C-alpha cells in the first residue's frame, strides 16, 4: 500500500501545487492518466479516427509553421514605425509676389491634428459607411471584407473593390509605398494589427482623417474643406461630408472641379450608404438632395504658373527638393504680370499665324517682374520664355554695332547700302531695296542687313562672338550669318543681354527669389546682392542708346513709343516671318517680347515692329506708370547731310562756259553798273 500512498501524494502535488510537484516530476506506472490521455487512447484504438486526427494535427502544425514563415518573410524589411508622426505628403510651398500677395501653392496642403470632437459626426460616419462598416469590430484587418472583395474581383476579372480597412489604409499611407505586391500587403496587415494594439479606435480614426488624400493637393479633412468649400472642417454640412467621403475612392476621377456629374453620383451613393448604416434617415437624405453643394473653383491656371515653374527650379538649385513646408518670396510684380497677360491676349492674332508669345520683364538688378511663357498656361505649360530657343533676327544687331563702336566707329559714320556678297552668300535687306550711302545710325534705325554684315566682317566674326558672350549670349559660332541673328537664343537670355544698355553699362543676371523661410519663420535662403561689373564704356553706351532710341522714336520700333518716356529698343524678324521680336527698355527696366508659332510655321507679315512692339507698348505703359521719368544717357547726333537723300552734284572736267550777252535794256544797265565797280 505504500506505493499507493506515495502515488496519492504525487497526485495531490500537481493539482494543488504541493511541494512534491516542485521537487520531482510525476513518473512511473502509477502516474495518473488525464481525461485527454484517456481520450487519445480510445481514438488510437479506432483506425479511421486515428488517421483523421493525425492528418488534422499535421495540418494544424503546417498552418502554424506557415503563419510563422509568413510573419518572418513579411517582417524581413518592415519599415521603422517611428515615422508614425511624420507627415507623409509632399511639402507645401507657397509663392508670394514682391508685394507679399500669394500667387500660387505647389506640393501638398496638410491639415493640423484632427479631433473628432471638433468636426461634425457626419464626416467620420460618411467615411465609415463607405470605406469600413466594421471598423469598430475588427482587429485591424477584416477577413469578411477581404473575402468579399476577392470574390467580386474574381467575378469581374479585374479589381473592382478593395478589402483594406481604415487601419490598413493608415498603415499604408504612413509607413509603406503604394506598390501592389503580396509582401507589401502582408506588411500592411501586420502594421494594422500593431496600430490597433497601440492606439484606440478613436485615435486611429483621427490619424486617418488628418492624413488621407482628398485630391487637389489636399491631405487631411481640414485642407480638403478649405480647398473645396473655403471653410474649416468644423463647419461642413452633411452633404459636404458625403462629397469628401466619396472622393476617397478616386480623388481625381470624382473631383467636382473636373467632373461635377461623376462627383454628384458618387455623393449620392455615399448618402445612400449612410442611410443603410442608420447614420441618417431617408428624410434627411432627401433634404440634402434638395440643397445644392457649392464647390470652390480650382485656382485659375493663369500665367503665374510659368513664373512659378521657373522659380521652383531656382529654389531646388539652392535648397534641393523641399522637405518641409515653406514660403518663397519672389521678385514677381503681380499687377505687371496680369498686364502682360492681358496685352498678349489682346494682341495675338492666330489668323495671321501669331499663335504663341513670350514676355520677360526685369528691372536693372535682374529681378524678374513678369514672365509669360505662352498664350495660355492651362493649354500648354511649356515655358517659351525660358526654354524655347528661337532665332533673334535683327534683335541681335546691337552686339554687331557695339563691336563696331568699340573699334572706333561713330553713329554718324557712313557705309554703302548695296548688295553684299560673301562667297556664295548674298544677304539682302528685308525690304529688298537699297538706298546707297547711309549713316550707321540710320542703318540701325532702318535695320538694314547689308550694313550689319559689312560691320560684322570689318570687326571680325570672332569679335562678335566674344561681344555677345560678354553679355550672356554664349555658345555662338562665328558664321557669316551671325550679324543677322541666325543662331538660336531664349527670350529670357536675349532680354537679359539688353540689361547693361538700360543699367548704365553694368551687367546683371536675371533672378526670381528674394527669400525662402519655413512655416515657423525660420530663414532658409536670403539672396545676397551680387557684384556687378561695368561692361560698356560711357561713350559707347551713349552711342548705342542714341541709335536704339532713334529706332523707337521713328524707326522700325515706333509702335512701342510711349509719350513722355525716354525709351530705346530693337526689333527683329526672321526669314518668312517665323519669329518676331521687340526688346526694349527704359532706364532700369527691360522687357522682351517674342511672337511666333510652336511649329515654326511662317506668320502672315508679322514683324517685330507690329504685334511684338504693340504688346510691349501695352505692357510697359502700365509698368512704367508712377516711376520717375529719368533719361537714358545718349550721345548727340551731329547734323549730317544724308547724301543719298539729295540729288547728286554734277562734276565735268572742262572749262566753264562763257556767259551769253544779255541785249535787253535791264541787261545793258547791269553791265554798265558792273563795269564801274572797283
Amino acid at each position: 500500500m505504500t506505493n499507493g500512498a506515495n502515488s496519492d501524494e504525487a497526485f495531490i502535488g500537481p493539482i494543488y501545487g504541493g511541494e512534491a510537484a516542485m521537487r520531482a516530476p510525476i513518473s512511473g506506472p502509477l502516474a495518473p492518466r488525464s481525461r485527454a490521455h484517456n481520450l487519445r487512447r480510445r481514438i488510437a484504438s479506432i483506425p479511421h479516427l486515428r488517421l483523421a486526427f493525425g492528418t488534422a494535427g499535421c495540418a494544424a502544425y503546417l498552418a502554424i509553421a506557415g503563419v510563422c514563415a509568413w510573419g518572418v518573410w513579411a517582417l524581413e524589411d518592415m519599415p521603422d514605425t517611428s515615422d508614425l508622426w511624420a507627415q507623409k505628403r509632399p511639402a507645401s510651398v507657397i509663392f508670394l509676389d514682391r508685394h507679399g500677395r500669394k500667387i500660387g501653392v505647389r506640393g501638398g496642403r496638410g491639415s493640423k491634428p484632427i479631433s473628432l470632437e471638433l468636426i461634425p459626426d457626419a464626416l467620420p460616419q460618411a467615411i465609415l459607411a463607405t470605406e469600413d462598416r466594421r471598423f469598430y469590430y475588427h482587429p485591424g484587418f477584416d477577413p469578411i471584407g477581404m473575402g468579399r472583395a476577392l470574390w467580386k474581383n474574381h467575378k469581374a476579372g479585374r479589381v473592382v473593390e478593395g478589402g483594406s480597412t481604415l487601419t490598413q489604409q493608415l498603415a499604408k499611407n504612413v509607413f509603406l509605398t503604394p506598390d501592389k505586391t503580396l509582401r507589401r500587403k502582408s506588411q500592411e496587415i501586420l502594421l494594422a494589427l500593431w496600430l490597433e494594439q497601440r492606439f484606440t479606435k478613436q485615435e486611429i480614426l483621427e490619424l486617418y482623417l488628418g492624413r488621407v488624400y482628398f485630391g487637389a493637393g489636399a491631405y487631411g479633412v481640414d485642407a480638403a474643406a478649405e480647398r473645396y468649400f473655403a471653410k474649416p472642417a468644423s463647419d461642413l454640412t452633411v452633404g459636404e461630408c458625403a462629397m469628401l467621403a466619396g472622393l476617397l475612392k478616386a480623388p481625381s476621377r470624382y473631383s467636382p472641379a473636373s467632373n461635377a456629374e461623376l462627383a454628384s453620383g458618387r455623393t449620392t451613393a455615399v448618402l445612400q450608404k449612410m442611410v443603410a448604416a442608420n447614420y441618417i434617415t431617408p428624410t434627411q437624405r432627401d433634404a440634402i438632395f434638395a440643397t445644392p453643394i457649392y464647390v470652390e473653383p480650382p485656382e485659375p491656371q493663369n500665367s503665374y504658373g510659368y513664373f512659378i515653374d521657373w522659380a521652383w527650379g531656382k529654389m531646388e538649385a539652392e535648397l534641393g527638393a523641399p522637405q518641409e513646408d515653406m514660403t518663397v518670396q519672389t521678385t514677381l510684380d503681380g499687377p505687371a504680370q496680369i498686364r502682360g497677360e492681358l496685352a498678349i491676349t489682346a494682341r495675338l492674332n492666330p489668323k495671321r499665324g501669331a499663335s504663341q508669345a513670350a514676355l520677360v520683364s526685369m528691372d536693372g538688378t535682374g529681378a524678374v517682374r513678369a514672365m509669360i511663357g505662352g498664350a495660355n498656361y492651362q493649354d500648354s505649360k511649356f515655358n517659351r520664355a525660358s526654354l524655347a530657343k528661337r532665332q533673334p533676327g535683327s534683335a541681335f544687331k546691337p552686339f554687331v554695332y557695339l563691336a563696331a563702336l568699340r573699334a572706333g566707329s561713330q553713329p554718324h559714320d557712313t557705309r554703302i547700302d548695296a548688295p553684299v556678297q560673301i562667297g556664295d552668300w548674298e544677304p539682302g535687306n528685308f525690304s529688298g531695296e537699297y538706298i546707297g550711302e547711309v549713316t550707321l545710325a540710320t542703318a540701325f534705325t532702318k535695320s538694314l542687313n547689308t550694313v550689319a554684315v559689312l560691320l560684322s566682317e570689318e570687326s571680325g566674326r570672332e569679335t562678335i562672338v566674344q561681344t555677345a558672350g560678354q553679355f550672356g549670349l554664349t555658345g555662338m559660332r562665328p558664321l557669316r550669318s551671325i550679324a543677322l541673328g541666325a543662331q538660336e537664343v531664349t527670350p529670357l537670355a536675349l532680354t537679359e543681354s539688353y540689361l547693361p544698355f538700360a543699367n548704365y553699362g553694368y551687367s546683371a543676371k536675371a533672378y526670381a527669389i528674394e527669400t525662402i523661410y519655413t512655416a515657423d519663420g525660420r530663414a532658409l535662403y536670403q539672396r545676397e546682392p551680387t557684384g556687378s561689373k561695368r561692361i560698356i564704356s560711357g561713350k559707347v553706351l551713349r552711342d548705342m542708346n542714341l541709335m536704339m532710341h532713334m529706332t523707337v522714336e521713328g524707326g522700325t520700333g515706333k509702335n512701342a513709343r510711349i509719350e513722355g518716356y525716354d525709351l530705346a529698343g530693337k526689333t527683329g524678324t526672321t526669314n518668312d516671318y517665323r519669329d518676331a521680336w521687340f526688346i526694349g527698355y527704359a532706364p532700369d527696366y527691360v522687357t522682351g517680347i517674342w511672337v511666333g508659332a510652336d511649329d515654326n510655321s511662317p506668320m502672315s507679315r508679322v514683324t517685330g515692329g507690329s504685334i511684338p512692339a504693340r504688346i510691349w507698348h501695352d505692357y510697359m505703359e502700365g509698368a512704367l506708370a508712377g516711376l520717375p521719368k529719368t533719361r537714358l544717357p545718349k550721345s548727340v547726333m551731329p547734323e549730317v547731310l544724308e547724301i543719298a537723300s539729295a540729288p547728286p552734284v554734277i562734276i565735268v572736267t572742262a572749262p566753264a562756259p562763257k556767259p551769253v550777252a544779255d541785249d535787253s535794256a535791264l541787261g545793258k544797265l547791269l553791265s554798265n553798273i558792273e563795269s564801274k565797280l572797283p
Side-chain angles (χ1 to χ4, degrees):
M1 299 296 294
T2 304
N3 288 341
N6 289 341
S7 64
D8 287 341
E9 282 185 51
F11 182 73
I12 293 172
I15 299 298
Y16 298 101
E19 292 186 19
M22 302 290 289
R23 289 193 296 268
I26 300 173
S27 61
L30 299 179
R33 299 289 186 260
S34 65
R35 290 182 180 179
H37 178 78
N38 293 331
L39 180 61
R40 285 196 298 271
R41 292 188 62 184
R42 292 190 183 97
I43 291 172
S45 65
I46 304 174
H48 295 296
L49 287 177
R50 184 170 67 247
L51 177 62
F53 274 86
T55 303
C58 291
Y61 282 120
L62 288 174
I64 294 171
V67 170
C68 292
W70 168 76
V72 171
W73 172 70
L75 290 168
E76 183 177 343
D77 57 350
M78 283 282 281
D80 183 1
T81 56
S82 63
D83 287 341
L84 177 62
W85 305 108
Q87 284 284 4
K88 289 291 289 289
R89 62 167 174 82
S92 175
V93 182
I94 300 172
F95 289 86
L96 307 178
D97 75 355
R98 63 187 297 238
H99 306 292
R101 290 173 289 209
K102 185 172 73 172
I103 58 174
V105 180
R106 293 289 172 86
R109 308 180 191 191
S111 296
K112 297 177 181 179
I114 299 299
S115 171
L116 293 182
E117 298 175 357
L118 300 179
I119 60 176
D121 292 340
L123 183 56
Q125 288 171 353
I127 292 175
L128 293 178
T130 53
E131 296 293 318
D132 194 352
R133 289 276 295 273
R134 283 179 289 277
F135 174 71
Y136 284 103
Y137 307 103
H138 61 64
F141 71 99
D142 184 3
I144 298 174
M146 294 175 68
R148 182 187 65 247
L150 287 172
W151 175 245
K152 287 187 176 181
N153 294 338
H154 172 71
K155 286 174 60 179
R158 57 188 179 89
V159 177
V160 295
E161 183 175 324
S164 294
T165 65
L166 291 188
T167 315
Q168 288 176 259
Q169 293 179 39
L170 176 62
K172 178 178 66 177
N173 291 338
V174 174
F175 301 118
L176 301 171
T177 65
D179 299 336
K180 295 182 179 180
T181 63
L182 182 58
R183 172 172 287 178
R184 208 252 336 133
K185 193 68 175 179
S186 301
Q187 293 173 342
E188 179 184 297
I189 293 174
L190 290 175
L191 287 168
L193 292 170
W194 176 82
L195 286 169
E196 293 277 352
Q197 292 296 316
R198 181 80 181 273
F199 301 98
T200 66
K201 289 288 187 179
Q202 177 171 327
E203 289 172 331
I204 290 172
L205 190 52
E206 288 174 342
L207 282 169
Y208 177 85
L209 291 173
R211 293 166 180 268
V212 68
Y213 184 56
F214 289 92
Y219 291 80
V221 294
D222 261 343
E226 288 291 345
R227 163 60 190 88
Y228 292 108
F229 309 114
K231 63 170 70 172
S234 58
D235 295 340
L236 292 172
T237 67
V238 178
E240 292 167 346
C241 292
M243 197 209 82
L244 291 183
L247 287 171
L248 297 177
K249 184 176 182 180
S252 298
R253 175 176 171 79
Y254 294 112
S255 170
S258 59
N259 194 320
E261 185 177 352
L262 277 179
S264 174
R266 179 63 180 160
T267 304
T268 299
V270 173
L271 290 169
Q272 299 283 39
K273 290 185 178 183
M274 292 180 72
V275 172
N278 294 319
Y279 288 131
I280 59 174
T281 66
T283 302
Q284 290 173 315
R285 175 202 60 196
D286 294 342
I288 296 169
F289 287 161
T291 306
I293 299 175
Y294 293 96
V295 177
E296 288 291 302
E299 290 185 355
Q301 296 287 311
N302 55 28
S303 63
Y304 287 133
Y306 293 116
F307 176 81
I308 292 174
D309 290 345
W310 182 63
W312 183 281
K314 301 299 180 183
M315 177 193 70
E316 287 194 328
E318 293 291 343
L319 303 177
Q323 302 298 317
E324 56 184 320
D325 294 348
M326 60 181 63
T327 299
V328 180
Q329 178 86 48
T330 73
T331 61
L332 193 79
D333 187 300
Q337 179 81 5
I338 297 302
R339 277 192 297 270
E341 186 175 351
L342 293 174
I344 287 174
T345 301
R347 295 292 187 179
L348 275 186
N349 190 339
K351 292 182 179 179
R352 297 178 62 186
S355 58
Q356 286 293 349
L359 179 151
V360 181
S361 186
M362 58 189 77
D363 69 12
T365 69
V368 174
R369 299 306 189 198
M371 175 181 282
I372 300 172
N376 188 305
Y377 183 76
Q378 189 167 353
D379 292 342
S380 172
K381 294 176 174 56
F382 178 69
N383 192 342
R384 294 155 190 83
S386 63
L387 300 175
K389 291 189 173 183
R390 309 290 296 221
Q391 292 185 6
S394 294
F396 181 79
K397 286 178 181 175
F399 306 104
V400 177
Y401 279 77
L402 177 60
L405 295 178
R406 283 175 167 176
S409 295
Q410 304 291 327
H412 58 270
D413 289 348
T414 61
R415 296 293 188 277
I416 302 297
D417 174 31
V420 176
Q421 184 168 350
I422 301 176
D424 59 352
W425 182 51
E426 298 183 13
N429 290 329
F430 185 80
S431 65
E433 300 176 351
Y434 305 95
I435 58 177
E437 192 170 5
V438 65
T439 64
L440 297 187
T442 300
F444 186 93
T445 301
K446 294 181 178 293
S447 199
L448 301 179
N449 290 340
T450 56
V451 176
V453 172
L454 288 174
L455 294 177
S456 174
E457 294 301 304
E458 291 174 9
S459 301
R461 300 172 204 164
E462 287 286 356
T463 302
I464 307 301
V465 170
Q466 294 170 6
T467 301
Q470 189 180 13
F471 285 71
L473 300 179
T474 57
M476 295 285 177
R477 293 177 294 164
L479 305 177
R480 57 191 179 184
S481 61
I482 188 171
L484 305 185
Q487 299 180 50
E488 295 175 338
V489 297
T490 65
L492 175 61
L494 189 60
T495 304
E496 183 185 79
S497 71
Y498 275 61
L499 272 173
F501 300 125
N503 194 24
Y504 303 92
Y506 289 90
S507 61
K509 292 292 183 182
Y511 68 97
I513 299 173
E514 296 286 1
T515 59
I516 303 175
Y517 50 91
T518 61
D520 58 4
R522 178 168 46 89
L524 298 176
Y525 169 81
Q526 174 70 55
R527 182 181 181 273
E528 298 294 336
T530 57
S532 57
K533 179 182 178 182
R534 190 167 191 179
I535 59 176
I536 312 179
S537 65
K539 174 63 168 63
V540 172
L541 175 63
R542 291 193 298 272
D543 289 344
M544 288 300 305
N545 282 340
L546 168 68
M547 292 190 292
M548 284 198 267
H549 174 71
M550 291 172 61
T551 300
V552 173
E553 284 298 306
T556 57
K558 59 187 177 183
N559 282 326
R561 187 172 180 272
I562 301 173
E563 189 66 35
Y565 288 91
D566 197 16
L567 308 174
K570 186 70 185 75
T571 57
T573 309
T574 61
N575 289 342
D576 299 322
Y577 304 94
R578 297 179 190 276
D579 302 276
W581 301 76
F582 184 78
I583 316 295
Y585 55 94
D588 286 325
Y589 212 111
V590 182
T591 299
I593 309 292
W594 167 84
V595 168
D598 284 340
D599 61 2
N600 204 34
S601 58
M603 294 180 285
S604 178
R605 301 192 66 80
V606 176
T607 65
S610 59
I611 292 177
R614 292 187 178 99
I615 293 174
W616 191 95
H617 169 275
D618 295 349
Y619 167 79
M620 287 291 282
E621 189 172 39
L624 295 176
L627 296 180
K629 296 182 179 181
T630 53
R631 311 292 295 179
L632 291 167
K634 300 187 296 290
S635 60
V636 178
M637 187 71 175
E639 292 294 335
V640 178
L641 177 64
E642 290 287 3
I643 300 174
S645 63
V649 176
I650 301 174
I651 301 177
V652 180
T653 307
K658 294 181 179 180
V660 179
D662 188 351
D663 294 333
S664 65
L666 178 60
K668 291 179 180 179
L669 177 60
L670 291 175
S671 298
N672 185 38
I673 294 173
E674 186 178 42
S675 64
K676 294 181 179 180
L677 292 176

